[in-house]
Amino acid sequence: MNARLIPFAVFALLVVLFGVGIVWNEHHDARYVPSPLIGKAAPAFDLPRLETPSQHLRKADLLGKPYLINVFASWCFACGDEHPVLMAYAHRFGVPLIGYDYKDAPGDATAWLSQHGNPYAMVITDKQGQTAIDFGVYGAPETFLVDRQGVIRYKHIGPLTPEVIARELQPAIAKLNEVSR
Amino acid sequence: MIPELGQLALILALLLSALQCALPIFGAWRNAKPLMATARSLVVGQFVFVALAFGILTYAFMVQDFSVAYVAQNSNLELPWWYRFSAVWGAHEGSLLLWVLILDVWTLAVAAFGGKLPEKFYARVLGVLGFIAFGFLLFSLATSNPFTRLIPAPMDGVDLNPVLQDPGLIMHPPVLYMGYVGFSVAFAFAIAALLGGELQSSWVRWSRPWTNVAWGFLSAGIVAGSWWAYSELGWGGWWFWDPVENASFMPWLVGTALIHAQAVTDKRGGLRAWTLLLAIFAFSLSLLGTFLVRSGVLTSVHSFAADPKRGVFILGFLAVVVGGSLLLYAGRARYVAGGKPFALASRETLILIGNLMLSVSAATVLLGTLYPLLGEALNIGRISVGPPYFGFLFMLLMTPLVLAMPFAPLSRWGKADVVIWRRALQRIVMLALIAGIIAFALGVHRWMGLLGVTASTYVIAGTAFYAIKRWKEAPRGRRYPLEMLGMLFGHFGVGVFIAGAILTRTLSIEQDVALSPGQVVHVGNYDFRFDGVGERHGPNWLAQQGTVEVSKNGTLVTVLHPQKRTYPRGQVQTEASIHPGVFGDLYVSLGDPLGPSTGAAGSSGAWAVRVYDKPFVRWIWAGGLLMMLGGFCAAADKRFRLRRSEEAQAHDPAGIPVSVIQPVQQQA
Amino acid sequence: MKRALLVLVCALAVLASFTAFAIDPLPFKDAAQRERFQHLTSQLRCMVCQNESLDASNADLAKDLRHQIFDMMQSGKSDAQIKQYLVARYSDFVLYDPPLKPATLLLWFGPAALVLAGGIVVIVLLRRRTKPTAQITATAAADATGDDW
């Protein structure tokens, strides 16, 4: 008798799995892939600044204090969604917000920023997208939190919202500031 | 006004399906003839209303009534009429209605042709089918109503996804559903048998033709889908182990096991519990496929738009139908043991081994398809499972099956003559090796290609060996009963498929080139000359059309016209140009125009072009269609026709009178 | 909404003739290198259009990665090194061939376990059925004429 119940038991497990799947789907973005770079050193970058392309910003220049990198582009719809949130919160993070212009013609980015406002402490450009590959960028906008030793501590894929900032980003920043005390 | 009639028709169909489920089953339980007799009329009634609803939806598409939201989302003013027709099943709501319609077609057929079945059994089968229809109609009305209005009605619709604007859409879903949904009949027969406790194997004989036809359709449906992906998606592939493809392949694998298990139970009375279980599994996998495609739990190339409400509903329905049937099985199956004994070397054993490999393959496909979901649920990270996994394991698991295949027909029921096995093995292996050597001489040097040739020859030679032996030994006029002919076609189809699948994989050539007008590229044995790009208009698209002249040794073979089409909403679609052939296809896709900075100097007008030489690719589908033919042939065998119901009940075909069958409790 | 937008982007992946496309002529050394490249890229997932392989995707990132992979192949890197490069940046998700690690043991060995379990069931069944072997003769099935079919 027991052996005959095995198919039912296996099926019941499957139903539970599917139930979990439906619930999971509700609360997670199915496209979201956790980054393997969390807890690892940020890639060493050396990129020109948007306003003054002859000047470069290097990773080494930023060591010693935590900072945020926000990957955006003028051609990216969701970045437009995110932008007002950045404008509102940029000065409240407590750490510098660096704009990372991804695969954009510099003229486009400048125009976009002057049209929508510039929340960034400074903006670097990655026209070819080569360094972005090292960051594991696959869908702008993406936001990285890097600590004073240059290690990536947090990554958010997709537009930042006030909820995400309150729930995840600000606690992460606070943790870094605690450690440094 | 008319779409509301459609909605009303669905509601009426829902009510009728509820009655169709409740009354006959209750009547069978209580042995109330009038209640059981309602089954047939309820089936007809429900079918009429579902057909009416489907007809109204089709009408809405044909007259382009954009006040119906579903029409507005899947059509537009420029869509040609034949795609308007097939757009009815182009998305979730409409395809669900098609599902129910086809279920009703099958139910109607059972009602019409099953009149000779014993009364209670007949009532129960129709009742079970009614329950399934009820669930789907409820699902449709509650969460996926195709008749929802869009007010105010837009002037023009969105469009049918350009990928769907292909003959494949006209054929693939209806044929696939005929198979998918057709397994519900075998399922209903199994449940009716369990409900009634009438587990003598006569019900298996009755269900064989239905199962074989459904399996045949499913084979054809999968072939249609594969061919469509190949010609429409443009990358030369024919199978991607995408979750939705797997959703149709799993029922096929279990269905194959089922038709063979049914043969054993029908002829020898054995494997009864397995036949029951496989019938339940085959349809459960169909339902599971429906769930996977529509719940959004898995992302896929062509899952329908997801909605958690829909996911929850189907999951609930799945739980009730499958869970209920498996509980019923657990409760009743101890009455099922029996059947004639058989030796270790016998046809039964070989079929058993084959079924084991088919079932494990289906389970493996399920495991791989669900593993990413499992990974998320158990929080072990996001894992991808793709063709490298599925292809590798599938080939491994099918190897024992392929090796055993030629021997099953050669073996007798009960006890095989091993001498014949030895003789056959020698001849078949010799032919396979010769074929391998010839292939090597003809240029197939990779081990995989040689393996494909030898395996394919092994299977085909094995099938031929049996066919010839049968010709020599059987009396005239009785040489090839239809059931056996079906087996011959089916097994031959497997051999053809193996050759196609493996040879295409090892011998295909794919090359991306930048070509200016007049330039030639040599791929395979052919020369492809690019003659530039012009413009071309279609009913609802504007295309950049390239011209490529293909020749072999100076003789013109064909002229190909790959296109890049732009549709009204701005979507761009590559239309590959294919030159089909029995021994291979030539295939060209047009890419982007390349600026003068790339390519040779002075190469303005250069385009990126992808050229394929795909040997033996059509053999893949030819094999599938041969299998379909096999299924239909076997189903047509007169020996499966119903005799009068008294005869059918009098004897268990295994030779044991019904009254003698007792629950075999000690084997529980 | 976000997801719908991404799906839209992928569906409209070639909006204008200036966007990237999967047809990407690259200067391969020979047929062997070309086939190695095609084989490799078909085993990698496009992170943007997640239903497509790198070989087939029209996404910009896919094109960049294909060129990156090509460069790495030219400079002598092995398939394993190239995969490692991508996994370090995009996680295991980018591999269609799931790596063998503790998390995937069930995946890779599950089928073998099932064959084993099923095999045991079959053997038990066979032993039960084939006990009265002495009495088994090649009996005809349903047909009175002695035909096996």
Side-chain angles (χ1 to χ4, degrees):
Chain A
M1 182 61 190
N2 283 333
R4 308 277 187 200
L5 274 176
I6 292 178
F8 177 77
V10 171
F11 175 70
L13 282 175
L14 264 180
V15 171
V16 169
L17 177 67
F18 291 137
V20 168
I22 294 181
V23 170
W24 192 93
N25 241 16
E26 273 296 271
H27 299 179
H28 290 86
D29 179 7
R31 286 184 38 83
Y32 167 75
V33 180
S35 171
L37 291 170
I38 306 229
K40 300 226 173 58
F45 56 87
D46 181 348
L47 293 169
R49 296 180 57 164
L50 179 65
E51 306 85 10
T52 49
S54 51
Q55 281 189 332
H56 280 221
L57 184 68
R58 278 165 279 267
K59 178 185 173 189
D61 299 338
L62 292 169
L63 287 175
K65 273 197 316 222
Y67 55 94
L68 283 168
I69 296 183
N70 174 259
V71 179
F72 75 97
S74 63
W75 47 261
C76 155
F77 298 125
C79 306
D81 288 343
E82 178 187 58
H83 206 73
V85 176
L86 289 179
M87 292 296 292
Y89 280 82
H91 53 279
R92 295 182 357 203
F93 287 134
V95 296
L97 177 67
I98 299 176
Y100 185 116
D101 184 33
Y102 175 57
K103 299 199 75 158
D104 236 342
D108 291 348
T110 317
W112 193 76
L113 285 174
S114 46
Q115 190 187 4
H116 297 240
N118 188 347
Y120 304 112
M122 61 188 96
V123 184
I124 47 180
T125 66
D126 186 358
K127 220 162 60 142
Q128 301 305 324
Q130 188 57 40
T131 309
I133 290 179
D134 288 334
F135 271 94
V137 171
Y138 65 89
E142 292 185 10
T143 308
F144 296 82
L145 175 64
V146 184
D147 74 8
R148 24 197 336 251
Q149 276 99 12
V151 174
I152 295 178
R153 290 295 170 192
Y154 171 79
K155 177 182 177 184
H156 182 76
I157 298 176
L160 283 173
T161 63
E163 298 78 48
V164 171
I165 293 177
R167 201 180 60 226
E168 292 173 12
L169 185 54
Q170 272 166 342
I173 297 175
K175 213 159 47 151
L176 289 189
N177 288 332
E178 261 172 34
V179 170
S180 65
R181 257 187 219 112
Chain B
M1 174 56 190
I2 294 185
E4 275 67 38
L5 284 180
Q7 189 148 337
L8 188 60
L10 278 184
I11 295 174
L12 287 172
L14 179 73
L15 291 172
L16 287 174
S17 69
L19 291 174
Q20 181 190 328
C21 167
L23 296 184
I25 292 193
F26 187 73
W29 182 35
R30 290 297 194 199
N31 211 359
K33 283 190 192 295
L35 285 180
M36 290 193 276
T38 61
R40 183 176 270 156
S41 353
L42 287 170
V43 165
V44 173
Q46 196 224 128
F47 170 77
V48 164
F49 284 113
V50 170
L52 190 63
F54 191 84
I56 289 174
L57 188 62
T58 308
Y59 175 75
F61 266 95
M62 297 313 267
V63 302
Q64 312 214 296
D65 180 359
F66 295 125
S67 71
V68 177
Y70 183 70
V71 177
Q73 281 153 15
N74 291 290
S75 173
N76 71 13
L77 286 171
E78 284 153 31
L79 193 66
W81 73 264
W82 53 90
Y83 290 135
R84 265 182 263 153
F85 176 69
S86 57
V88 173
W89 53 80
H92 171 67
E93 294 86 340
S95 66
L96 200 66
L97 194 55
L98 179 70
W99 212 105
V100 181
L101 180 68
I102 290 183
L103 178 66
D104 281 358
V105 166
W106 277 101
T107 312
L108 200 63
V110 173
F113 294 110
K116 296 195 194 112
L117 288 167
E119 208 174 13
K120 281 200 207 168
F121 192 81
Y122 180 75
R124 288 190 172 115
V125 167
L126 293 178
V128 171
L129 289 170
F131 181 72
I132 299 169
F134 174 76
F136 274 86
L137 283 166
L138 189 63
F139 180 53
S140 179
L141 281 167
T143 70
S144 327
N145 193 342
F147 296 109
T148 318
R149 291 281 206 171
L150 193 61
I151 296 185
M155 291 301 295
D156 194 358
V158 175
D159 198 2
L160 183 63
N161 187 338
V163 171
L164 300 179
Q165 292 185 32
D166 180 273
L169 177 65
I170 303 181
M171 281 196 321
H172 168 61
V175 174
L176 187 75
Y177 284 8
M178 279 296 284
Y180 227 42
V181 178
F183 281 143
S184 64
V185 177
F187 175 78
F189 273 65
I191 299 297
L194 282 169
L195 281 174
E198 306 141 357
L199 296 164
Q200 75 275 24
S201 37
S202 45
W203 72 268
V204 174
R205 170 165 290 200
W206 307 326
S207 76
R208 283 188 75 184
W210 302 100
T211 317
N212 275 299
V213 171
W215 180 84
F217 273 116
L218 186 58
S219 307
I222 294 175
V223 162
S226 165
W227 169 81
W228 180 16
Y230 169 83
S231 45
E232 186 66 11
L233 289 183
W235 307 129
W238 56 274
W239 189 258
F240 305 92
W241 296 103
D242 174 84
V244 168
E245 292 175 325
N246 295 346
S248 68
F249 194 49
M250 289 185 283
W252 185 88
L253 288 168
V254 174
T256 308
L258 177 62
I259 55 180
H260 291 85
Q262 282 178 338
V264 176
T265 307
D266 178 24
K267 301 223 195 281
R268 305 288 290 172
L271 299 189
R272 266 180 267 211
W274 289 107
T275 304
L276 277 168
L277 208 52
L278 285 170
I280 295 176
F281 279 153
F283 185 62
S284 305
L285 286 168
S286 297
L287 283 181
L288 179 69
T290 307
F291 169 76
L292 288 178
V293 173
R294 294 162 199 274
S295 65
V297 168
L298 296 169
T299 46
S300 149
V301 176
H302 56 318
S303 45
F304 298 98
D307 180 353
K309 209 167 46 155
R310 292 172 180 172
V312 169
F313 191 107
I314 311 185
L315 186 60
F317 186 60
L318 189 68
V320 168
V321 171
V322 179
S325 31
L326 288 175
L327 276 177
L328 185 61
Y329 168 80
R332 295 288 181 124
R334 58 200 151 113
Y335 298 116
V336 181
K340 294 184 172 162
F342 51 89
L344 196 60
S346 63
R347 193 181 285 166
E348 288 96 324
T349 307
L350 288 175
I351 290 184
L352 202 52
I353 293 175
N355 281 5
L356 171 67
M357 301 323 289
L358 284 165
S359 305
V360 173
S361 300
T364 303
V365 173
L366 186 65
L367 180 66
T369 307
L370 296 182
Y371 209 76
L373 180 61
L374 189 67
E376 283 155 13
L378 298 179
N379 215 12
I380 51 179
R382 282 213 90 182
I383 299 175
S384 287
V385 183
Y389 172 84
F390 290 109
F392 172 69
L393 279 177
F394 186 71
M395 262 183 51
L396 218 55
L397 290 170
M398 286 291 105
T399 304
L401 184 97
V402 166
L403 287 173
M405 238 173 72
F407 298 102
L410 286 171
S411 316
R412 298 193 69 89
W413 292 116
K415 189 171 179 176
D417 185 352
V418 188
V419 172
I420 299 183
W421 280 13
R422 232 175 282 140
R423 224 172 63 211
L425 185 66
Q426 283 168 357
R427 302 243 174 101
I428 298 170
V429 168
M430 194 174 65
L431 280 168
L433 287 175
I434 291 175
I437 293 170
I438 295 177
F440 189 86
L442 288 175
V444 180
H445 291 174
R446 294 219 180 108
W447 69 265
M448 173 86 86
L450 293 171
L451 183 71
V453 171
T454 38
S456 163
T457 310
Y458 176 89
V459 171
I460 295 176
T463 313
F465 184 91
Y466 178 73
I468 293 170
K469 178 172 180 294
R470 177 78 188 179
W471 178 274
K472 286 196 260 189
E473 289 170 8
R476 237 158 185 245
R478 292 182 32 88
R479 283 208 173 103
Y480 296 120
L482 279 174
E483 185 190 352
M484 177 191 298
L485 201 60
M487 179 276 290
L488 291 174
F489 277 129
H491 288 197
F492 180 55
V494 171
V496 171
F497 171 82
I498 293 174
I502 298 186
L503 286 176
T504 291
R505 185 164 146 178
T506 47
L507 297 177
S508 282
I509 304 176
E510 172 190 327
Q511 226 175 307
D512 287 355
V513 269
L515 290 174
S516 304
Q519 268 189 298
V520 176
V521 62
H522 186 81
V523 174
N525 294 325
Y526 298 89
D527 297 304
F528 294 79
R529 195 184 81 211
F530 180 58
D531 285 334
V533 170
E535 255 191 20
R536 184 95 199 277
H537 285 268
N540 61 335
W541 45 263
L542 175 64
Q544 308 262 53
Q545 177 170 294
T547 307
V548 176
E549 231 183 61
V550 186
S551 39
K552 184 173 179 177
N553 296 327
T555 357
L556 180 68
V557 171
T558 184
V559 181
L560 295 173
H561 296 289
Q563 292 176 343
K564 259 176 60 172
R565 292 184 185 172
T566 310
Y567 284 85
R569 298 286 150 162
Q571 307 101 310
V572 177
Q573 174 79 13
T574 5
E575 285 291 319
S577 185
I578 304 175
H579 173 72
V582 173
F583 291 106
D585 281 11
L586 299 169
Y587 191 123
V588 177
S589 279
L590 194 61
D592 276 326
L594 301 168
S597 53
T598 51
S603 62
S604 53
W607 284 71
V609 177
R610 183 173 282 185
V611 175
Y612 296 88
D613 178 20
K614 305 212 62 94
F616 297 105
V617 68
R618 308 255 142 190
W619 289 36
I620 295 168
W621 307 310
L625 289 176
L626 281 166
M627 292 185 224
M628 170 197 79
L629 190 60
F632 289 162
C633 259
D637 196 315
K638 285 209 175 59
R639 292 175 299 167
F640 300 139
R641 301 286 161 79
L642 289 163
R643 296 161 288 174
R644 283 200 313 264
S645 52
E646 311 90 79
E647 276 180 38
Q649 279 185 315
H651 283 285
D652 181 324
I656 305 165
V658 162
S659 56
V660 171
I661 291 182
Q662 299 292 334
V664 187
Q665 255 135 356
Q666 58 269 30
Q667 283 182 303
Chain C
M1 175 57 198
K2 213 184 342 165
R3 199 207 300 203
L5 216 50
L6 237 310
V7 170
L8 193 67
V9 167
C10 290
L12 309 180
V14 186
L15 259 181
S17 48
F18 302 109
T19 54
F21 204 68
I23 298 182
D24 211 353
L26 289 167
F28 295 109
K29 272 199 306 241
D30 52 21
Q33 191 190 53
R34 185 187 69 226
E35 284 175 18
R36 180 185 160 207
F37 178 82
Q38 286 164 356
H39 182 69
L40 184 57
T41 51
S42 64
Q43 289 194 335
L44 298 166
R45 188 194 285 268
C46 170
M47 295 298 291
V48 179
C49 298
Q50 293 183 347
N51 299 316
E52 297 180 317
S53 68
L54 268 193
D55 183 49
S57 173
N58 296 334
D60 232 27
L61 177 64
K63 180 176 179 187
D64 291 342
L65 286 175
R66 283 196 297 268
H67 290 189
Q68 178 78 20
I69 291 172
F70 177 73
D71 291 338
M72 290 176 85
M73 272 174 58
Q74 294 281 58
S75 62
K77 297 266 189 315
S78 71
D79 283 3
Q81 287 171 315
I82 293 173
K83 286 184 184 175
Q84 183 47 39
Y85 173 90
L86 289 167
V87 168
R89 286 152 181 77
Y90 296 104
S91 85
D92 283 334
F93 188 64
V94 79
L95 299 174
Y96 270 129
D97 191 1
L100 185 58
K101 41 187 228 189
T104 58
L105 280 178
L106 176 62
L107 181 68
W108 281 107
F109 293 110
L114 283 172
V115 173
L116 219 61
I120 292 173
V121 171
V122 166
I123 290 173
V124 166
L125 216 156
L126 285 176
R127 294 177 100 197
R128 208 187 285 167
R129 270 308 140 68
T130 61
K131 264 200 187 80
T133 342
Q135 303 143 9
I136 298 173
T137 49
T139 50
D143 204 293
T145 64
D147 189 351
D148 203 40
W149 282 84

